[in-house]
Amino acid sequence: MKFGSVTDPSSIDFSLPKTPSATLELLKAHQSDEPFEVYVGCAKWNKKELKGFYPRGTKDELAYYATKFNSIELNATFYNSPSKDQVETWKDKTGKDFKFFPKIPQSISHYGRLLNTDEKVKAFVDSTVLFEEKLGMAFLQMHDNYKPKDFDRLESFLENFPAGYPLAVEVRNESWFADKEVAERYYALLEKTNKTNVIVDTAGRRDLLHMRLTTPIAFVRYVGANAPSDYTRLDEWIARISEWRKAGLQKLYFFIHQNMEEESPLLADHFIKLMNKTFDLNLKLPNADKLF
C-alpha cells in the first residue's frame, strides 16, 4: 500500500495525537458490559502479496489465511463488486468466527463519486449480506480529490444507504480536516447516520489520525513504513486502545498494511500478541515469524 508512503520514515513524528474530548464523551455514553470484540487482519490473502507467509504446498490461500487470522480487510471488492456465488464461496472457506470487511467498489466511490449509484449499491449489499454472521463492516473509501464542496452528496449517500448494513467511511482529502468547522460537520454527519469514522495511520498523512470516533467502534487502517519504528508505533496504539476501552470502546477493527505487503503478517503477529496480553484475549496468532 503506497498511500502516504515517504522516502525517509525516520523524519516523521509518529506520535499519536491526543484523543479529542468528543471521542471520550461518545464512548462513555455507550459503555457496556459486553466483551471486547476485536478483529485484526491484513488487506489481502493472495500468495503474491504475502510472499513467504504460506507454507509450501498450500492449495487454498484463503482457507489457510483464515486459520491464522480472524478477519480480512477485503480490498478485492474495490475493483469489482462480488457475485453472490463468489461471496458464498469465500464464506464457506472460513471458520465460524471469521469476518469479512469488504470495501465499497470503486464504481461507486471513485468513478461514480456517489452519484446515480443506487443500483450498484443494491447489487453490492445484496451479495455481501450473504456473508451473514461473517460480515464485519463494509467501508467506503473516497478518492483523494473528493472534497467538502460535495458534502451534500456524501450526506445524501449515507442517509440513503441501506438501513442496518454496517458501514465505515474514509475521506482522504486534506480539506476535510484542515478546517475545524468542516471536520465537525463531517463528524456530526457520521454520528447522525450511525457510520463509523475510519482512522488511517500512515507516515505521509498524519492529518488522517483525527482520533475522532463517531460510534463505539474503532476502525483503524495501519500502514507500516517497513522500518523498525513500525513496531514501536504499534506499542503506542496498544496504550491508546487501552484508554478507549476504559472509556467504553466496544469493538476494534484493526487492519495492518505495509508498503511491502509481505511483511504485514509479521507486524500483525506482534500486534496480536500485545492485544492478547493487554486485554486477556485469545486471538489467533499468525506465527508469521516461523514462516518467513
Side-chain angles (χ1 to χ4, degrees):
M1 179 172 171
K2 302 301 182 184
F3 177 74
S5 63
V6 297
T7 55
D8 181 15
S10 66
S11 66
I12 303 298
D13 178 3
F14 284 111
S15 301
L16 296 180
K18 183 180 178 181
T19 300
S21 59
T23 290
L24 296 176
E25 291 167 6
L26 180 140
L27 291 176
K28 289 175 182 177
H30 289 86
Q31 284 189 335
S32 166
D33 294 330
E34 292 296 315
F36 193 20
E37 183 178 304
V38 178
Y39 287 87
V40 181
C42 298
K44 304 172 183 177
W45 67 67
N46 66 74
K47 191 178 296 184
K48 181 180 178 181
E49 295 288 345
L50 300 185
K51 186 178 180 181
F53 175 66
Y54 296 96
R56 182 174 298 178
T58 299
K59 294 182 178 179
D60 192 301
E61 295 158 14
L62 175 57
Y64 178 82
Y65 174 96
T67 68
K68 299 296 182 179
F69 288 95
N70 67 359
S71 59
I72 182 76
E73 184 193 277
L74 191 53
N75 276 278
T77 57
F78 176 68
Y79 303 101
N80 290 292
S81 188
S83 67
K84 293 181 179 180
D85 287 344
Q86 181 64 78
V87 169
E88 294 280 13
T89 297
W90 285 338
K91 179 186 173 186
D92 291 345
K93 289 183 177 183
T94 60
K96 62 183 180 66
D97 297 325
F98 191 87
K99 289 191 184 295
F100 294 86
F101 292 77
K103 193 173 184 178
I104 297 286
Q106 61 184 348
S107 60
I108 296 170
S109 59
H110 287 44
Y111 301 140
R113 297 178 73 83
L114 309 184
L115 287 175
N116 304 314
T117 58
D118 290 355
E119 289 303 313
K120 293 175 182 177
V121 169
K122 184 178 186 300
F124 173 80
V125 170
D126 285 352
S127 61
T128 55
V129 292
L130 296 179
F131 281 127
E132 297 180 314
E133 74 283 356
K134 294 183 182 180
L135 174 63
M137 173 176 281
F139 69 105
L140 171 70
Q141 180 189 86
M142 296 308 299
H143 195 286
D144 302 9
N145 62 18
Y146 189 85
K147 299 179 180 180
K149 68 180 181 63
D150 291 322
F151 184 96
D152 292 348
R153 191 186 304 177
L154 176 63
E155 181 177 39
S156 176
F157 181 86
L158 296 183
E159 288 180 342
N160 291 288
F161 198 79
Y165 188 102
L167 182 68
V169 183
E170 176 187 332
V171 291
R172 288 181 157 191
N173 191 271
E174 294 91 336
S175 56
W176 287 96
F177 308 107
D179 185 315
K180 183 178 180 181
E181 184 176 338
V182 169
E184 290 302 327
R185 186 183 178 203
Y186 170 63
Y187 303 147
L189 170 63
L190 296 185
E191 288 194 42
K192 179 179 71 170
T193 56
N194 193 34
K195 301 298 185 287
T196 295
N197 199 11
V198 174
I199 296 171
V200 181
D201 183 352
T202 186
R205 287 296 306 277
R206 308 311 286 166
D207 57 317
L208 298 181
L209 271 172
H210 47 71
M211 295 298 178
R212 182 63 163 82
L213 302 186
T214 52
T215 66
I217 301 168
F219 193 126
V220 181
R221 304 182 69 239
Y222 176 92
V223 186
N226 296 99
S229 58
D230 294 346
Y231 292 87
T232 54
R233 289 167 59 194
L234 287 173
D235 296 344
E236 188 173 353
W237 265 109
I238 293 293
R240 182 56 53 90
I241 294 163
S242 295
E243 175 195 6
W244 291 350
R245 176 59 179 162
K246 289 175 183 177
L249 183 68
Q250 295 176 4
K251 301 178 182 181
L252 172 69
Y253 306 147
F254 201 100
F255 297 100
I256 294 178
H257 300 249
Q258 274 283 24
N259 294 328
M260 297 168 58
E261 287 286 3
E262 61 264 30
E263 294 185 17
S264 296
L266 292 168
L267 271 184
D269 195 75
H270 173 78
F271 181 72
I272 293 170
K273 286 175 180 175
L274 291 174
M275 287 295 298
N276 282 345
K277 180 179 179 180
T278 304
F279 298 99
D280 193 24
L281 301 173
N282 190 31
L283 302 177
K284 293 179 179 179
L285 285 171
N287 293 316
D289 56 328
K290 297 178 182 178
L291 295 168
F292 282 80

